[in-house]
Amino acid sequence: MFTAFLIKYAEIGVKGKNRYLFENALVQQIKYALKKCDGEFAVRKTDGRIYVDAVSDFDYEDAVSALQKVFGISAICPMVYVEDEGFDKLGKTVVEYIGKVYPDRNKSFKVAARRARKNYPLNSMEINMELGGVILDAYPEMHVDVHNPDILLNIEVRDNIYIYSEIIAGLGGMPVGTGGKAMLLLSGGIDSPVAGWMIAKRGVKIDAVYFHAPPYTSERAKQKVVDLARKVAAYTGPIYLHIINFTDIQLYIYDKCPHDELTIIMRRYMMRIAEHIAKETECLGLITGESIGQVASQTMHSLMATNEVCNLPVYRPLIGFDKMDIVALSEKIDTYETSILPYEDCCTIFVAKHPVTKPNVNIIRKHEHNLDEKIDELVQTALDTDEVIIVK
Ligand code: ATP
Ligand code: MG
């Protein structure tokens, strides 16, 4: 029955002079999301609102689930349009609407009319009263409740008349592309995809980097990261995924540094390389999936040691989350099933039995100093052999 959607957006509403930028970005993101759906749609911005009109037959569930993946939408209201062919026609359509949308009519309702077109012969109050009467005549089992109705039937009189009552929650947040770009350190784990999703939700475009260590990590481990990037891209749009071959760097560190410091030193090199790519690709920050105390490399001391090698801000949206909450979020955004596939990621190969939990930055620096110029060459080679996959 529905032929269109009214898109409600929350925070964009308060952006003052820049509001149009946010609205335009949202329109772009909606168009992008709907491209993958069955059916053709027109997205328009009219009267400070965004409407999605179906211009062909379409798959309703498919369209709703695509819109539910767009950041910046607070609510999706499926609508019916009627051309204004007199009040009787409107009354008939409303009765038909309720008949179809609410098979169980043991419900209270309220009509909320808005007359944006002032030359309509009835004013809002009159529309409410008259339509209320028509509905009660058709469905005597329904009753009016103006304070707390089960069904709030919105009638908007514009050039056409719009009818809607269902409100489907959107994700909230800001449209991707309104907040600059950041580089996500994406591993095959549970945490980093969720971290990227959370930052993207605030309007930030995401690129990603994965440190691959063949043959210690398999092609399947790499494919798993590509699959995770694809899951995140369903919300964020295309992700440029940089695959960095980390094997020689890892082996060299393994060879030269105390094993209990391996993870920290490796993490410092990951951050350095990620920052280098980030700066070259106009990213304004790095994103990781770290959370205080989750593992040895994520204590306050360890975080301080990994953080000190970069100048760009490092966003760690999961920093105060318990694992349970991260898992719940990864289930919600549909990355969990992929994240728990068993393929090893590069850190699990080279983990020490007893990694330091309180690394001393001065000692770490000293051991890194032993890596001499050779490490710079290895880093340069890793950067030169960066493989970029555009994940959609
Ligand atoms: P995740 O579940 O995201 O893998 P984790 O709990 O396994 O995180 P660590 O392995 O300590 O934690 O990694 C901390 C963060 O460092 C990750 O969230 C991710 O952002 C980044 N990271 C770790 N390994 C890699 C890798 N191989 N490639 C890219 N980023 C990585
Ligand atoms: Mg991990």
Side-chain angles (χ1 to χ4, degrees), residues 5 18 22 33 75 87 122 172 175 206 233 258 269 370:
F5 299 93
N18 287 336
F22 289 79
F87 185 81
L122 303 178
I206 300 288
Y269 276 95
N370 294 341

Side-chain angles (χ1 to χ4, degrees), residues 186-195 224 228 289 294 318 323 325-331 333 335-340 345:
L186 181 63
S187 69
I190 294 171
D191 306 331
S192 43
V194 176
K224 175 180 165 183
L228 280 172
Q294 202 190 74
L318 304 178
K323 192 73 185 188
D325 303 326
I326 302 171
V327 165
L329 202 43
S330 77
E331 283 172 335
I333 70 172
T335 51
Y336 183 73
E337 292 300 324
T338 309
S339 288
I340 59 170
D345 73 37

